[in-house]
Amino acid sequence: MAKPLTDQEKRKQISIRGIVGVENVAELKKGFNRHLHFTLVKDRNVATPRDYYFALAHTVRDHLVGRWIRTQQYYYEKHPKRVYYLSLEFYMGRTLQNTMINLGLQNACDEAIYQLGLDIEELEEIEEDAGLGNGGLGRLAGYRARSGITGSKACFLDSMATLGLAAYGYGIRYEYGIFNQKIQDGWQVEEADDWLRHGNPWEKARPEFMLPVHYYGRVIHTQNGTKWVDTQVVLALPYDTPVPGYMNNTVNTMRLWSARAPNDFNLRDFNVGDYIQAVLDRNLAENISRVLYPNDNFFEGKELRLKQEYFVVAATLQDVIRRFKASKFGTSDNVLTVFDALPDQVAIQLNDTHPALAIPELMRILVDIERLPWHKAWKITTKTFAYTNHTVLPEALERWPVELVEKLLPRHLQIIYEINQKHLDRIAALFPKDEDRLRRMSLIEEEGGKKINMAHLCIVGSHAVNGVAKIHSDIVKTKVFNDFSEIEPDKFQNKTNGITPRRWLLLCNPGLAELIAEKIGEDYVKDLSQLTKLHSFVHDDIFLCEVSNVKQENKLKFSQFLEKEYKLKINPSSMFDVQVKRIHEYKRQLMNCLHIITMYNLIPATDLSEQISTAGTEASGTGNMKFMLNGALTIGTMDGANVEMAEEAGEENLFIFGMRVDDVAALDNKGYNAKEYYEKLPELKVAIDQIDNGFFYPKQPDLFKDIINMLFYHDRFKVFADYESYVKCQEKVSQLYMNSKEWTKMVVKNIAASGKFSSDRTIKEYAKDIWSMEPSDLKIPLPNEPRELLNKDNSK
């Protein structure tokens, strides 16, 4: 017998989380039991909660597979332009809930699992995170949800499917993702992220599409062209994961490559000892996909990392060319003209510089293998690629030693030199005798040993270059790559990041999602700009009370979680002040810590999102958007997407403090002297002296000396310079929070203004301005519908 529903639960049954039908529930229960028995070979007497999770995952996956096959059939028959998103990182997080939401199965699954006597939330918690990325870089490509915060690359894949674009994500199937960070006894510790140890129900291995990737070797020139020979081969085994769009039956593919050693050693050539060693040496090849390199904002060149970058590039481009040749556009007998159609059928987006080797690799394929003349191959290559820049921090920009590239990829180094020579010839013709400009714009840097500037390679080899927030794109264009933008100003664009409202509202905050749907309808889920309709409810006392209640329910739930997991009791009526960021100097967690020390007998935390990086250092940020959409207010500098959030909501509806970009530049010119601020601000001096004198750790008073030394002498991000402004702004926050009604009004204004920050809007801009593709609202027919519908346009 089903449990009675509360009023709120009844409201959800007719909601954007999907309608519960008796047939749906019965079918899901049948599928669950079938998978428990025949896939997992268990019954209810011996099954564990993990078995139940896998049974549910396979049941939901059943509803994906037909749509997945139908989508690929549609692409095969209609030959749409395809976009390939190349990224070394995909921060996918958990898949189950997101899939249920996008297929409209959430409530039916809830009811089916309840009738089976199980707790769906418990099963959802068992799923491993696919943490195949570091910070915002991988989060854009993917989302990570266990800790509640993640970002946009898989947000992008979600939006591409939702917008009906024929899109593919390509990356590496790391066996160990980003390490888990924990605090034990007050110290940060890391542990390995063995996310595949129990298997992954969402992926499908495709050994029939395994491809060779070559390394090392030498280059020979013959009458028949240039050849790369005597190479070492590693095989790339693809694993495909379905990426469903929201309620449109489109299911795209993320293909991740796993490294495998070839079985080409001849047993007759080995004695037993050599054979054993040969088998053991296979690990050297398979290490390529073993582990994700941590830290996406500090470049440290290592041979394994370069192998990873070429691995994903080489395998992916073979796949892209194979798929292109299988289309009606790639079947011409004239090899000199067949590839003219490539940029019209293929768009490749380079997510940061990590896949930059795709540029010389495509040139190698077109020139060495397909025998196209250089000028024709180069035109095709530049029209095919586009590049997204993610950072202005110099230490994060990749510069590979020429010596290492020559050893690992000798033919690619030759191609890069050729690209550079033709590029510099053009610059010399435009700016005769300007040797300094040639030095600045060269792909090869000479100082401190020859290195390849991978960002320069991406810019020269792409037809479009974009930053990920307006202020960031301006800095990229006018400062970091000003020489390039002077010559080709139209090449540089802005594409402000976004987040998917499916995961970041429907999934993580169903109470608020339902409340919004009651007021303005459900269409906002696919058109987040409709949130502006909420402005008409800013003075509606009942609505304000409902928003406040939703927030309080979430805070109560979080308080209960803290008490259960960490034995930490907090008052759920207090204010929660949150800074969810990876630890890095430019995120300025230290400024937050100093403020905590200043408020030592800690005023309660607030419902506040901390976005406090130094102006001009954060490319965009997506956590700021997630907090804004979910009803938190922002305290922040005018940096990254904060600038556009202030434009959308009004600066008076954010707590903005600190230096602007011009102020930071002026302080750099003057010279930043931390001691001036230390001596001028009594509260800051007390806090710093407490740290310096061992007040917080008397057993080891010198423990934090390095932090003090950095803040005084090596702080590029100028924590002290913004401190006074930050403290005063925090006082404004506390004052406003005392007036619950005015606080909630500001919350509603922020939610109403967050529509711009949907990844759907971001992807529409990429599609229109960079990829020359049109989103579609076509709803692909379901597997049980006639296949002939694939050939009909049933769009609105």
Side-chain angles (χ1 to χ4, degrees):
M1 180 177 174
K3 61 182 176 181
L5 299 176
T6 65
D7 288 342
Q8 186 179 22
E9 287 171 328
K10 287 176 183 174
R11 185 179 73 204
K12 290 179 184 176
Q13 300 302 300
I14 55 169
S15 76
I16 42 192
R17 291 162 66 87
I19 296 173
V20 173
V22 175
E23 303 86 358
N24 287 348
V25 173
E27 181 189 359
L28 290 166
K29 288 166 64 179
K30 184 178 178 181
F32 179 92
N33 286 322
R34 186 180 72 250
H35 279 296
L36 188 63
H37 292 160
F38 295 109
T39 305
L40 299 165
V41 196
K42 293 284 185 76
D43 65 19
R44 294 291 291 268
N45 293 316
V46 295
T48 66
R50 177 163 277 106
D51 294 322
Y52 295 140
Y53 157 71
F54 272 94
L56 176 57
H58 283 291
T59 303
V60 172
R61 183 176 178 269
D62 288 346
H63 289 259
L64 270 177
V65 170
R67 292 170 169 88
W68 198 6
I69 292 172
R70 270 287 170 96
T71 300
Q72 303 314 310
Q73 288 174 339
Y74 179 79
Y75 294 161
Y76 181 78
E77 294 179 9
K78 293 297 185 181
H79 304 286
K81 186 171 185 178
R82 303 176 195 237
V83 59
Y84 297 93
Y85 200 90
L86 267 65
S87 180
L88 265 287
E89 301 181 16
F90 283 94
Y91 215 178
M92 295 303 294
R94 292 167 168 174
T95 299
L96 176 59
Q97 269 187 291
N98 190 70
T99 301
M100 292 190 295
I101 291 264
N102 280 8
L103 297 187
L105 291 173
Q106 177 86 60
N107 282 330
C109 285
D110 284 354
E111 184 61 27
I113 295 302
Y114 174 78
Q115 289 185 18
L116 288 165
L118 300 169
D119 183 339
I120 195 167
E121 287 193 4
E122 180 184 346
L123 303 190
E124 289 166 349
E125 279 298 310
I126 291 170
E127 181 173 5
E128 296 285 346
D129 278 324
L132 308 185
N134 282 284
L137 174 70
R139 289 177 183 143
L140 278 176
Y143 22 50
R144 182 162 166 106
R146 169 163 289 173
S147 58
I149 265 299
T150 131
S152 291
K153 279 5 158 258
C155 287
F156 281 6
L157 296 186
D158 177 282
S159 287
M160 290 176 204
T162 297
L163 294 170
L165 297 172
Y168 302 79
Y170 275 92
I172 294 179
R173 181 182 178 266
Y174 301 105
E175 289 181 37
Y176 292 89
I178 187 63
F179 50 75
N180 296 315
Q181 289 180 307
K182 295 184 176 180
I183 303 295
Q184 290 183 357
D185 300 322
W187 294 96
Q188 178 179 307
V189 296
E190 291 81 29
E191 63 181 21
D193 178 31
D194 187 11
W195 72 286
L196 289 170
R197 63 187 176 276
H198 299 294
N200 177 6
W202 305 106
E203 65 183 10
K204 175 67 177 75
R206 302 285 193 187
E208 67 274 23
F209 293 118
M210 192 151 56
L211 294 167
V213 175
H214 298 262
Y215 297 101
Y216 305 107
R218 58 193 177 90
V219 180
I220 59 173
H221 301 281
T222 69
Q223 288 183 335
N224 296 323
T226 302
K227 292 184 178 179
W228 183 18
V229 298
D230 298 336
T231 58
Q232 293 183 17
V233 176
V234 175
L235 298 178
L237 171 63
Y239 285 79
D240 289 352
T241 299
V243 181
Y246 178 69
M247 302 295 285
N248 66 349
N249 299 332
T250 294
V251 180
N252 285 336
T253 301
M254 178 180 68
R255 176 162 285 184
L256 302 180
W257 301 102
S258 182
R260 294 290 186 271
N263 284 323
D264 61 356
F265 50 85
N266 191 326
L267 297 187
R268 290 175 302 178
D269 295 339
F270 294 104
N271 59 35
V272 173
D274 288 337
Y275 167 68
I276 297 295
Q277 189 58 48
V279 173
L280 295 177
D281 286 347
R282 291 169 60 90
N283 286 336
L284 297 176
E286 297 178 358
N287 280 343
I288 290 173
S289 60
R290 193 81 66 199
V291 64
L292 167 72
Y293 266 84
N295 199 337
D296 65 349
N297 52 26
F298 181 78
F299 173 69
E300 184 180 6
K302 284 190 168 66
E303 186 170 337
L304 178 58
R305 177 63 171 182
L306 186 59
K307 279 186 176 180
Q308 289 181 336
E309 294 186 359
Y310 181 64
F311 178 74
V312 67
V313 157
T316 298
L317 282 181
Q318 289 180 74
D319 224 27
V320 170
I321 297 297
R322 172 193 60 78
R323 198 174 284 119
F324 170 73
K325 284 185 170 181
S327 74
K328 68 178 182 180
F329 300 97
T331 53
S332 168
D333 292 331
N334 187 346
V335 73
L336 291 178
T337 61
V338 67
F339 284 98
D340 289 346
L342 187 71
D344 297 322
Q345 289 302 114
V346 169
I348 302 178
Q349 192 70 34
L350 303 176
N351 184 31
D352 218 323
T353 56
H354 307 137
L357 288 168
I359 294 169
E361 173 66 3
L362 182 56
M363 286 297 291
R364 187 186 71 84
I365 291 170
L366 296 178
V367 174
D368 293 359
I369 299 175
E370 303 294 345
R371 303 296 173 79
L372 268 63
W374 180 279
H375 72 278
K376 192 178 189 68
W378 184 244
K379 183 178 181 182
I380 291 167
T381 295
T382 55
K383 288 172 68 176
T384 300
F385 286 109
Y387 160 55
T388 299
N389 174 275
H390 282 277
T391 183
V392 298
L393 298 178
E395 68 267 28
L397 296 174
E398 286 191 301
R399 293 173 170 87
W400 284 107
V402 164
E403 186 180 14
L404 176 58
V405 177
E406 185 174 34
K407 171 188 170 187
L408 194 67
L409 303 166
R411 178 57 180 144
H412 295 77
L413 181 64
Q414 292 180 351
I415 291 171
I416 290 169
Y417 270 129
E418 184 75 11
I419 292 170
N420 193 42
Q421 187 59 56
K422 287 177 166 40
H423 162 61
L424 292 181
D425 289 345
R426 179 184 175 219
I427 303 305
L430 291 170
F431 303 94
K433 299 181 180 178
D434 192 343
E435 294 293 329
D436 193 51
R437 182 180 291 268
L438 290 174
R439 179 189 56 77
R440 294 196 309 267
M441 297 186 71
S442 176
L443 274 56
I444 310 297
E445 297 181 354
E446 303 284 348
E447 295 178 15
K450 283 191 174 184
K451 294 179 180 177
I452 303 169
N453 186 313
M454 304 305 276
H456 288 186
L457 175 60
C458 287
I459 293 169
V460 171
S462 299
H463 69 276
V465 177
N466 71 278
V468 291
K470 189 188 297 181
I471 186 174
H472 169 236
S473 297
D474 287 344
I475 292 170
V476 164
K477 185 172 182 177
T478 61
K479 294 181 181 177
V480 183
F481 302 121
N482 182 55
D483 289 324
F484 293 89
S485 68
E486 279 185 7
I487 297 170
E488 296 179 291
D490 294 339
K491 178 182 279 193
F492 289 79
Q493 303 185 19
N494 173 57
K495 296 289 170 278
T496 299
N497 279 340
I499 55 173
T500 165
R502 272 74 65 182
R503 182 173 288 257
W504 291 112
L505 189 56
L506 270 67
L507 193 157
C508 73
N509 201 344
L512 182 59
E514 298 299 339
L515 182 57
I516 293 171
E518 278 189 347
K519 293 298 181 183
I520 66 172
E522 299 177 2
D523 290 345
Y524 78 88
V525 178
K526 291 184 74 171
D527 179 12
L528 205 62
S529 65
Q530 293 192 24
L531 289 179
T532 56
K533 295 176 183 177
L534 291 177
H535 282 299
S536 60
F537 299 98
V538 168
H539 301 289
D540 182 331
D541 288 349
I542 295 176
F543 180 67
L544 294 178
C545 184
E546 289 177 319
V547 170
S548 183
N549 287 341
V550 167
K551 172 66 73 175
Q552 199 56 38
E553 287 174 15
N554 290 337
K555 291 170 70 173
L556 179 60
K557 193 172 182 180
F558 180 65
S559 301
Q560 292 168 342
F561 168 81
L562 278 181
E563 186 170 356
K564 177 184 175 185
E565 296 294 325
Y566 297 98
K567 308 298 184 282
L568 179 66
K569 285 190 176 184
I570 60 172
N571 181 355
S573 298
S574 63
M575 304 186 332
F576 293 179
D577 183 336
V578 177
Q579 186 178 16
V580 179
K581 299 284 180 185
R582 53 201 164 79
I583 305 298
H584 190 271
E585 288 172 275
Y586 89 88
K587 302 288 189 180
R588 299 205 295 190
Q589 283 94 351
L590 279 173
M591 186 154 64
N592 201 343
C593 291
L594 289 173
H595 180 236
I596 291 171
I597 293 170
T598 301
M599 303 177 3
Y600 187 42
N601 299 314
L602 206 46
I603 295 171
T606 69
D607 292 358
L608 194 65
S609 163
E610 300 263 356
Q611 308 295 332
I612 59 178
S613 53
T614 315
T617 59
E618 177 72 86
S620 168
T622 54
N624 44 6
M625 303 169 187
K626 292 157 194 164
F627 282 120
M628 182 187 196
L629 178 61
N630 281 278
L633 301 185
T634 299
I635 182 168
T637 52
M638 276 299 206
D639 194 25
N642 294 354
V643 176
E644 290 155 87
M645 288 164 55
E647 288 175 358
E648 295 296 307
E651 195 171 322
E652 70 279 4
N653 290 309
L654 279 76
F655 299 102
I656 299 296
F657 73 93
M659 297 179 289
R660 312 290 169 110
V661 169
D662 291 342
D663 300 322
V664 174
L667 186 54
D668 281 332
N669 290 331
K670 173 191 169 190
Y672 170 62
N673 184 347
K675 284 191 175 179
E676 289 182 11
Y677 301 92
Y678 167 78
E679 291 165 356
K680 183 176 72 172
L681 302 172
E683 290 177 332
L684 176 62
K685 186 177 188 303
V686 168
I688 292 297
D689 288 348
Q690 283 180 306
I691 298 173
D692 195 26
N693 296 331
F695 178 82
F696 296 102
Y697 207 74
K699 294 179 181 178
Q700 200 173 337
D702 293 337
L703 185 62
F704 303 117
K705 291 288 186 185
D706 287 344
I707 293 177
I708 298 299
N709 184 58
M710 185 279 293
L711 285 170
F712 275 114
Y713 303 109
H714 309 288
D715 181 14
R716 294 179 298 149
F717 304 107
K718 306 170 180 65
V719 169
F720 289 2
D722 273 345
Y723 185 72
E724 183 178 22
S725 176
Y726 177 62
V727 171
K728 288 180 178 177
C729 197
Q730 286 279 9
E731 291 170 359
K732 291 181 184 177
V733 172
S734 300
Q735 290 170 8
L736 183 66
Y737 192 78
M738 300 305 290
N739 186 330
S740 176
K741 184 175 180 180
E742 292 303 313
W743 178 276
T744 308
K745 281 184 182 179
M746 193 181 285
V747 165
V748 172
K749 290 176 184 176
N750 271 266
I751 296 171
S754 61
K756 175 180 178 177
F757 304 107
S758 168
S759 53
D760 295 349
R761 185 268 314 151
T762 310
I763 292 301
K764 284 178 184 175
E765 292 180 6
Y766 272 101
K768 174 177 175 287
D769 301 334
I770 295 179
W771 304 331
S772 300
M773 297 171 71
E774 282 293 327
S776 167
D777 57 3
L778 175 76
K779 191 166 186 178
I780 290 176
L782 287 167
N784 59 356
E785 296 175 330
R787 194 172 183 279
E788 293 72 31
L789 289 176
L790 280 173
N791 297 312
K792 294 182 180 179
D793 186 356
N794 63 347
S795 58
K796 295 177 184 175

